[in-house]
Amino acid sequence: MAAATSENQSDSLSVPWNDAVRFIRQLSHDLRNHLNAIELQSTYIGELTDNAEVKDEIKRLREMISGFTTTLQKLPRGLADVKASLIPYRAADFVEDLRKRIDLEFSEKSNQISWDIQPGGALLHIDPELLQQAFIELFENAFQHERGEGALVLTARIDKNHFVFALHEPKARFERSTEHWGREPLRNISHDHYGLGLNRVRVIVKANGGEMYAKYDPNVSALVTTLTMPAHRMNESA
């Protein structure tokens, strides 16, 4: 029995992450090429008929193809290398810009977000566009995955030489481990979601010199995702 177990273990595959990324990118590229060909063919078929019902069906088909193509376009973005261009940025300005971006991205849900911000005179060295993308991903996950009753709460304040963001997501139950949060791409997969978002958030935060971790607080039934960014104080007039 021990020999059989050892043999089974030796037969298991371990694929390097770089090889998996290259495969996913190539597969996405090939599928998009096929979808583009199908879309062109459907357009041609639509031009061959005057039947209104057939044209409507072809229109719906093209919309389905377009939606799937968009999903495939997003997939490689979750695998792309992150190269941050860091610039000095006042924490107060970043938070203000972030609120505007979140209001725009989640216009129908932004009233479900509570902001508790105390930026003080912190100065960050960040890539603001990349960091905004990370927060958009966090909010998107929070709205979509097992959200409990109550508002999403984002707090931000200075803690010694760090500027600390914490997103509180209400969750009645949470049984997943947060030990390797954002370090297990492709682990949790569901319809139109491929387990890449949190890993990209972690990579973006790391590229900005920060860290990300999460924990579930059963006392308040909330998952708390914390992002810490290096910062130093500055005069308000700076």
Side-chain angles (χ1 to χ4, degrees):
M1 180 63 70
T5 301
S6 176
E7 182 178 350
N8 289 336
Q9 290 177 345
S10 64
D11 287 341
S12 63
L13 295 176
S14 178
V15 180
W17 175 244
N18 288 341
D19 289 346
V21 169
R22 188 165 58 252
F23 163 73
I24 293 171
R25 285 175 174 166
Q26 186 61 51
L27 178 62
S28 174
H29 175 77
D30 293 343
L31 289 175
R32 281 186 284 128
N33 282 343
H34 290 309
L35 287 170
N36 289 336
I38 295 172
E39 201 277 337
L40 288 173
Q41 190 68 20
S42 65
T43 300
Y44 174 67
I45 293 172
E47 294 174 350
L48 295 178
T49 181
D50 294 325
N51 187 298
E53 185 176 352
V54 172
K55 285 184 175 293
D56 286 343
E57 291 299 323
I58 291 175
K59 180 181 178 182
R60 278 190 283 271
L61 174 62
R62 293 180 63 189
E63 289 172 350
M64 293 168 60
I65 295 171
S66 176
F68 189 35
T69 301
T70 298
T71 298
L72 287 173
Q73 287 175 336
K74 291 180 179 179
L75 190 57
R77 296 175 194 169
L79 303 167
D81 295 333
V82 172
K83 296 181 180 179
S85 298
L86 306 183
I87 60 174
Y89 218 88
R90 286 168 52 94
D93 293 338
F94 174 74
V95 171
E96 181 180 355
D97 294 343
L98 177 63
R99 291 189 67 162
K100 293 177 181 177
R101 182 74 177 273
I102 295 299
D103 286 345
L104 180 64
E105 295 285 338
F106 304 97
S107 57
E108 297 181 359
K109 300 178 181 179
S110 59
N111 62 341
Q112 302 172 36
I113 302 173
S114 176
W115 300 77
D116 179 8
I117 310 298
Q118 300 176 31
L123 180 69
L124 310 175
H125 284 81
I126 58 173
D127 184 321
E129 173 60 28
L130 270 179
L131 205 54
Q132 284 185 17
Q133 292 177 22
F135 277 99
I136 289 171
E137 181 68 34
L138 288 178
F139 276 107
E140 189 171 291
N141 283 347
F143 279 123
Q144 291 181 350
H145 299 303
E146 302 175 350
R147 182 186 168 200
E149 295 183 2
L152 303 179
V153 179
L154 182 69
T155 64
R157 53 182 46 85
I158 297 174
D159 183 5
K160 297 180 180 178
N161 60 340
H162 288 83
F163 195 64
V164 181
F165 297 90
L167 177 60
H168 300 249
E169 305 174 38
K171 292 186 183 294
R173 296 180 58 190
F174 186 82
E175 299 178 352
R176 292 170 54 189
S177 170
T178 58
E179 182 179 359
H180 302 292
W181 200 248
R183 296 179 178 273
E184 298 177 311
L186 307 179
R187 173 61 62 88
N188 296 291
I189 297 175
S190 60
H191 180 67
D192 285 341
H193 296 279
Y194 306 105
L196 295 171
L198 281 178
N199 179 70
R200 180 162 176 80
V201 172
R202 180 188 61 81
V203 172
I204 288 174
V205 172
K206 183 178 179 181
N208 280 269
E211 296 181 357
M212 180 184 79
Y213 56 91
K215 68 175 182 179
Y216 181 70
D217 187 346
N219 296 321
V220 294
S221 298
L223 174 66
V224 183
T225 303
T226 302
L227 279 58
T228 65
M229 309 299 301
H232 65 264
R233 296 180 184 273
M234 58 178 287
N235 296 330
E236 291 296 335
S237 59

